[in-house]
Each structure stands twice: as structure tokens, then as C-alpha cells.
Amino acid sequence: MLALILTADLTGVTELRPLDTAEEPYFYTFKVQCTSCRETHPNWVSISRFESTDISGSKGVANFVWRCKACKRESTASIKDAPKTYVHASPPTRQTIIEFDCRGLEFTAFQANGEWMAKGLETPTKFNSIDLAEGEWYDFDEKSGEEVSIKDVKWEIRRA
């Protein structure tokens, strides 16, 4: 099991999470490495919890099935549950966003492509279309009259 861990400095917002519904799935984008021969795939790969692929030679399915070009081994990854929300903490803390059951592969780097959402820390304001690709985001909460932000975004992939 691998976990995608987020650490971020949230100001005026909380409950940060990817927009990940059946109607609008989030595609988690990673660099992938074979655990057998340690070859790293040259391209970024995307995985959605709403898509599944048959595993060859098995009746099982996985969200991501990959065959290493170097050693020809087939590997799989499946998302275990819906993503968890990142809640405001001062100072910022490491929090698990999502967990993967990986067989024969490891994710080595993450790109935050896609939309995220959050809500106001002390107001009911909902913030949609948050883009974390640059590692920071700024907006204004009209109900509180304050600037809100997400800064110092750091991603880790660790054993769960």
C-alpha cells in the first residue's frame, strides 16, 4: 500500500480535496517505477478510481494495469477508497489524501493536475476550480472579506 501525502499551508480555507466524482473523475498523475527491474516509465501516467481494467491471466480488475517495457512484467494499482479531505492545521501537517494498493510497481512522483475544492474556514463559502499545479493558489472570500490561500504545497508518496 502506498499513500499520497499532502502538506500545505491553508489560510482561510479547509477541507481541501480533489474534485473526484463519477461524473467528473479526478485523474491522479504519477511517475511509475517497476519494482522488479527498477525501470522508470518515461511518461507521466494517470489513474482514475472510476476506471478499471482487466488483469491478464486473472479474473480480477485494477484501476491501472501496466506492463514494464524492460522486463515485461505486468503490474497493477488500485485506489482503495474515495479521497480524504485535507483539513486546516497550524502549523501545517502531513495528511493522507488517497491510498493505492500497488502490485509490482511504485509511484515515485505526483503532479496535481485537475480541479480541487475547499470551503471557507469560518464561512460557508465553497471554492471550486482550485488549481494546485503551480504549488499555490489565492482567492478572496467575500463573506469574510479576507484573502484565502493555499501555499507551500508539498507531495509525498509513502508506504501506508
Side-chain angles (χ1 to χ4, degrees):
M1 291 283 283
L2 294 177
L4 177 63
I5 311 287
L6 170 62
T7 307
D9 184 5
L10 275 54
T11 304
V13 294
T14 190
E15 296 181 23
L16 175 66
R17 65 184 172 86
L19 176 58
D20 191 9
T21 64
E23 298 78 33
E24 294 185 61
Y26 188 89
F27 287 87
Y28 301 88
T29 305
F30 294 96
K31 278 290 193 178
V32 64
Q33 181 180 60
C34 177
T35 57
S36 183
C37 69
R38 308 312 286 173
E39 183 75 19
T40 300
H41 192 288
N43 301 324
W44 291 90
V45 298
S46 296
I47 176 174
S48 166
R49 69 188 180 107
F50 297 102
E51 292 181 0
S52 56
T53 305
D54 293 331
I55 301 170
S56 61
S58 167
K59 291 183 182 178
V61 295
N63 297 118
F64 178 70
V65 178
W66 173 64
R67 184 172 302 280
C68 177
K69 287 186 174 159
C71 70
K72 309 296 185 228
R73 180 175 171 184
E74 185 174 87
S75 303
T76 64
S78 292
I79 297 172
K80 299 316 298 170
D81 294 307
K84 297 175 178 74
T85 59
Y86 184 93
V87 294
H88 178 273
S90 185
T93 58
R94 289 183 179 144
Q95 297 177 38
T96 297
I97 299 298
I98 200 155
E99 292 182 345
F100 302 89
D101 182 10
C102 297
R103 308 284 168 105
L105 64 83
E106 287 182 345
F107 295 127
T108 59
F110 174 72
Q111 273 185 346
N113 298 334
E115 291 187 17
W116 291 69
M117 51 200 298
K119 69 177 210 89
L121 184 60
E122 296 175 4
T123 67
T125 306
K126 293 194 184 318
F127 297 95
N128 296 313
S129 303
I130 296 173
D131 182 358
L132 296 177
E134 299 297 319
E136 59 187 19
W137 168 85
Y138 298 90
D139 205 338
F140 188 78
D141 187 340
E142 293 183 13
K143 290 187 175 124
S144 70
E146 300 282 328
E147 181 181 76
V148 294
S149 65
I150 301 169
K151 301 180 290 196
D152 301 323
V153 175
K154 295 180 187 74
W155 301 103
E156 291 177 71
I157 300 163
R158 303 178 75 166
R159 298 231 175 270

